[in-house]
Amino acid sequence: MTAATHSSSFPADADSADAVLLGLDPEQREVATTLRGPVCVLAGAGTGKTRAITHRIAYGVRSGQLMPASVLAVTFTNRAAGEMRGRLRALGAGGVQARTFHSAALRQLQYFWPKAIGGDVPRLLERKIQFVAEAGARCRIRLDRGELRDVTGEIEWAKVTQTVPADYPAAALKAGREAPRDMAEIAQIYGMYEQLKRDRAMIDFEDVLLLTVGILQDRHDIAEQIRGQYQHFVVDEYQDVSPLQQRLLDLWLGERDSLCVVGDASQTIYSFTGATPDHLLNFRTRHPRATVVKLVRDYRSTPQVVHLANGVLSQARGRAAEHRLELVSQRESGPDPVYAEYADEPAEAEGVARRIRDLIAAGVPAGEIAVLFRINAQSEVYEQALADAGVPYQLRGAERFFERQEVQKAILALRGAARSGGNDPLLEDIVDLGSQVRAVLSSTGWTTEPPAGSGAVRDQWESVAALLRLAEDFARTRPGATLADLTVELDERRAAQHAPTVQGVTLASLHAAKGLEWDAVFLAGLTDGMIPITYAKTDEQVEEERRLLYVGVTRARLHLTLSWALSRTPGGRASRRPSRFLNGLRPGSAAPAAGPGSAGERGAPRRGRRGPVRCRVCSRTLTEAGELKLMRCEDCPSDMDEGLYERLRDWRADRSKEQGLPAYCVFTDKTLMAIAEAAPAEAGELSMISGVGGRKLDRYGADVLAICAGQAPGGADPDDA
């Protein structure tokens, strides 16, 4: 490990510009000392790009080549801008402005508005979604909450690509947008939204950029005044620049070329917001004399993690892939990435939670661990598993599952239907609980077919679908259960999933994890159809999904686990396969065939299906989860020890009460029946029963085996010791 991995500041009493360069590697030093002309820094994940550009600014200031007030450093989030300001202060360059594009533009707009336009500056609209809702209502187009978010996103995309309402349908079609509503309707809402803002003298964040661009284009005197103040520009995360932001940057620069941009085309994952790596990739074309520096020394991740990250990109196609960087780890060797295959999603979540608990026991802080998934709807099963394991967690960029509005609305509808009982005409002649739940959810507007495209509407659909699956699983394990029973169970699950309000394991989507890092990262749910996501149809969309996986891999410093489940539910058909992006990387998998659109990428050979599971009494093939747990048909004769079953139920009731958990969190009824039928005499036999995972074997195994042996359970819970 080199010195470049240590603190980014130099000693407070350093009295020379050269002190700023201490600890930089050769490439970082080249960035820091190249202060003239256009500079393009191609910086891979974990290579110290922020360090390089902050030391560049500080070196220029401390050497007298740059005046602090003449430098504007631009990045994309307030968090990143705040971090940059802190580093610059520590390096003795506290007078430098470090802002987001919007913050810098808003400051200029407020200052020059009286001179350029006159009158009061329009009020800034903090939350545009309410205006979009009103615009839709005025157009007599009703939008639910998910559609509101997605239509708002479309309006934002149109504005950052400088598309007016009338041109939106054609532009969206050309860009291959998956619109949440009819494009003509969105254009109509967009136009009304703009009219409402004008009528009320308000502007949104995109207007801040648009109006600043307009003023700088029309008022050359103001443009020259800004150029007189800011003479040197640094832009971080340049691969995420939108056409509108690039236009503003061009106007700030004028005819000058004192510009340093930093980015990595392989981390472009926000194209749906209008971000494009084209400006980064075309930089040398626009600036033929540009100095190009590549940062490839990875100080974040171990050689094992870096090797996998390079492997993910080695299969990439397209223009961004042509400019990929081959990272070289500067850290000491660490553990190999772990690949874990599970029978079903609950087993995967339990396995992840078990590994996390082991890491915490080994000294890894919970706050240095993350579970990353493709969509927010995947979080529920991990919330449950971590809560069961007693591991604190926090959700980043998403609400807790049971606090999501669509989930609360669905539960409210189920509770209303449960109160109505047999008087609800919606449920006439529907006896099966799963069918009743589907009918109730359908009455709220939910459909069995997922919506096209991505975004909030798809996330909402996935959340309600997860609720339906939860209800179906409950119905299978509790034959004869009613809607009222289900609502009680849902309330208990919500209570059981409540985590302490402390810093814990981070649960986040891959998009929300960008720019962050942890000692240990679990990439979960890596199946084809999830990553790449089903609605990634074009080559460009599939390649962005690959880059998303690359971003996930490069979040890990030391420990990395990649996992997937072959089926959704216990006993389900093992029809899933690992993500095609892991072909040739995970043990035992074949590398994809060469060339874009190859069979290896588009249609990797399916895994061989597991053999059928047959009833141990009549040999019929079993398909239902409950039957698979019992290893027999429901109506086949049972050799269950009724007395043992009752003793197990009594014990379970005591344990669930002690721990404040629903009974099913200890063992389901079906698992207790299977135990009572098998009457295991030792731990190996008990572990073979479906529903008895490693964690539950550790926690409850001694008690269960004692009960099966006719003894009183007396072993203390290992977690309570």
Side-chain angles (χ1 to χ4, degrees), residues 126-159:
E126 297 283 352
R127 285 179 51 81
K128 61 172 68 72
I129 199 165
Q130 295 170 342
F131 265 49
V132 175
E134 184 176 347
R138 292 201 175 196
C139 296
R140 298 188 177 184
I141 301 171
R142 185 174 180 178
L143 302 171
D144 65 29
R145 185 175 176 83
E147 289 174 321
L148 270 174
R149 288 167 56 190
D150 287 344
V151 170
T152 301
E154 288 301 295
I155 291 173
E156 291 173 348
W157 173 83
K159 297 185 77 166

Side-chain angles (χ1 to χ4, degrees), residues 541-560:
Q541 290 168 339
V542 170
E543 287 305 315
E544 183 151 334
E545 293 287 302
R546 189 196 307 277
R547 294 194 295 270
L548 193 56
L549 177 60
Y550 171 78
V551 166
V553 169
T554 55
R555 298 311 92 194
R557 299 189 191 106
L558 180 61
H559 303 281
L560 177 62

Side-chain angles (χ1 to χ4, degrees), residues 99-148:
R99 298 181 175 275
T100 65
F101 269 104
H102 287 91
S103 173
L106 179 61
R107 194 162 178 258
Q108 294 171 14
L109 187 66
Q110 291 171 333
Y111 184 82
F112 289 108
W113 184 273
K115 181 177 180 180
I117 309 297
D120 295 331
V121 179
R123 287 181 298 134
L124 185 63
L125 180 63
E126 297 283 352
R127 285 179 51 81
K128 61 172 68 72
I129 199 165
Q130 295 170 342
F131 265 49
V132 175
E134 184 176 347
R138 292 201 175 196
C139 296
R140 298 188 177 184
I141 301 171
R142 185 174 180 178
L143 302 171
D144 65 29
R145 185 175 176 83
E147 289 174 321
L148 270 174

Side-chain angles (χ1 to χ4, degrees), residues 195-327:
Q195 183 63 51
L196 286 173
K197 288 196 289 92
R198 285 193 294 270
D199 292 345
R200 298 173 191 178
M202 300 192 78
I203 58 175
D204 61 25
F205 280 101
E206 288 70 42
D207 291 329
V208 170
L209 300 183
L210 285 163
L211 289 168
T212 305
V213 165
I215 288 174
L216 296 183
Q217 287 180 159
D218 295 342
R219 293 291 301 267
H220 297 290
D221 57 330
I222 293 176
E224 288 305 317
Q225 189 173 341
I226 291 176
R227 291 166 191 160
Q229 177 180 354
Y230 294 120
Q231 300 168 24
H232 308 279
F233 296 86
V234 177
V235 184
D236 194 11
E237 303 287 3
Y238 193 56
Q239 77 278 352
D240 291 332
V241 165
S242 71
L244 179 57
Q245 290 165 333
Q246 180 62 48
R247 180 60 185 144
L248 177 59
L249 179 60
D250 289 341
L251 288 165
W252 282 341
L253 277 166
E255 298 300 318
R256 300 166 302 171
D257 62 1
S258 186
L259 170 66
C260 175
V261 300
V262 188
D264 179 9
S266 295
Q267 295 188 68
T268 305
I269 58 173
Y270 297 112
S271 66
F272 57 90
T273 67
T276 171
D278 289 348
H279 305 298
L280 177 66
L281 299 177
N282 294 336
F283 192 83
R284 279 177 288 185
T285 302
R286 296 185 64 190
H287 303 279
R289 297 186 300 107
T291 299
V292 178
V293 183
K294 294 183 179 181
L295 302 183
V296 297
R297 301 175 195 248
D298 188 312
Y299 298 102
R300 175 188 300 160
S301 305
T302 63
Q304 288 79 4
V305 172
V306 167
H307 177 72
L308 177 58
N310 288 335
V312 170
L313 287 188
S314 70
Q315 303 172 7
R317 304 288 182 267
R319 189 171 180 224
E322 295 171 2
H323 297 266
R324 63 177 174 264
L325 301 168
E326 189 83 9
L327 299 178

